[in-house]
Amino acid sequence: MNYSGILDQIHRDLKPWLGKGRVASYIPELANISAERFGMAIVRTTGEVFRTGEADTRFSIQSISKLFACTLAFQLLGDDLWQRVGREPSGTAFNSLVQLEAEQGKPRNPFINAGALVVTDVLCRRFVKAETALVEFIRRLSGERGIGYDAAVAQSELQHAHRNRAMAHFMASFGNLKMPPDLVVDAYTRQCAISMSSVELARAALFLANRGAVPSTGEQIVDASSAKRLSALMLTCGTYDAAGDFVYRVGLPAKSGVGGGIVAVLPGEMAVCVWSPGLDANGNSLAGTLALEWLTTFTGQSIF
């Protein structure tokens, strides 16, 4: 498969779409990023790397961090994690409080904000600094020691975290948050402010395409069955309230973030990450979704 040629073709064909959509202006630090920027990378389980555009430029991974936080929490608790957070698509916006009242403070899944706060609460109970533990985990997955979080982005998010604070306190009232809500929100905002490139994110997610093991080191992060289950969660819940349409168009398990990144996996073959900051109405990268749709169309590769 000529992945280099396909990525270059996608980059050329996408040019009319770059700059469309809206950046995440509700986070002031992200509002300054041009919507015209673009990078895309494929990392195969064999170690081969293919890239186009700004594939080595770091950006704010935002909700993509939820995938790695969930994996780390699942390492700690196993299936007991699902006693506190569900595994169903939400059908509502990623920052909605609507279902928490009716469902006694148990979020629908770990990839909406409420669910991610519960996951962060798990990490805060186990680690002195949850965000530091998560950064170290991601460094192991990606093999990149220089990965960290952007303090300016974290502070910008924290100053506008009213809805996340409301969710945290509301879940605490149901007993589904064990640590102080403000501590959990602080750790969560720093987690979302982690900066990585498309190449680094694809490498970090590659264990899911390799039966739960990091190909470069052989470290078994989760067993093969758990890798399948985490990928299934990505497929059904990973792209906000557009998961059905995304699966229809792309056909890969994926996790998106409002920083414009989307990471996806093809089991047994590769992980791919695309970055384009212009978002559609659901908070997914507009050009990034199109790029992944074209990738699976041009290669004929998806999980279906």
Side-chain angles (χ1 to χ4, degrees), residues 91-102:
T92 58
F94 65 91
N95 59 354
S96 173
L97 291 87
V98 171
Q99 289 163 339
L100 289 176
E101 173 77 38

Side-chain angles (χ1 to χ4, degrees), residues 21-188:
R22 301 178 64 181
V23 297
S25 57
Y26 66 93
I27 302 172
E29 283 292 317
L30 298 187
N32 300 322
I33 307 296
S34 169
E36 296 184 359
R37 302 182 73 176
F38 174 82
M40 190 171 184
I42 290 171
V43 181
R44 297 187 66 202
T45 55
T46 56
E48 294 174 283
V49 179
F50 306 91
R51 47 169 65 81
T52 191
E54 297 182 74
D56 293 299
T57 297
R58 287 180 174 167
F59 59 90
S60 187
I61 71 171
Q62 293 295 311
S63 285
I64 299 176
S65 66
K66 296 172 183 175
L67 168 62
F68 305 113
C70 180
T71 301
L72 188 55
F74 187 74
Q75 275 190 336
L76 297 172
L77 298 185
D79 283 339
D80 287 346
L81 178 62
W82 313 127
Q83 301 300 313
R84 296 182 57 189
V85 59
R87 302 190 299 269
E88 295 290 340
S90 68
T92 58
F94 65 91
N95 59 354
S96 173
L97 291 87
V98 171
Q99 289 163 339
L100 289 176
E101 173 77 38
E103 297 176 6
Q104 287 75 54
K106 181 178 179 179
R108 281 285 179 94
N109 67 71
F111 296 151
I112 55 175
N113 285 19
L117 288 166
V118 171
V119 167
T120 302
D121 182 65
V122 170
L123 301 183
C124 285
R125 290 196 78 190
R126 186 60 63 97
F127 301 107
V128 174
K129 289 188 76 68
E131 65 273 28
T132 302
L134 184 62
V135 166
E136 285 298 327
F137 181 56
I138 291 173
R139 287 173 177 173
R140 280 182 16 229
L141 293 176
S142 64
E144 295 290 339
R145 299 301 304 168
I147 290 170
Y149 66 85
D150 185 317
V153 173
Q155 186 61 30
S156 181
E157 289 199 53
L158 193 59
Q159 291 171 348
H160 296 80
H162 308 300
R163 185 173 287 262
N164 285 333
R165 291 191 191 281
M167 279 187 277
H169 283 279
F170 195 56
M171 289 187 293
S173 75
F174 284 100
N176 201 17
L177 231 60
K178 313 301 181 185
M179 300 295 286
D182 287 342
L183 183 149
V184 173
V185 173
D186 288 358
Y188 173 70

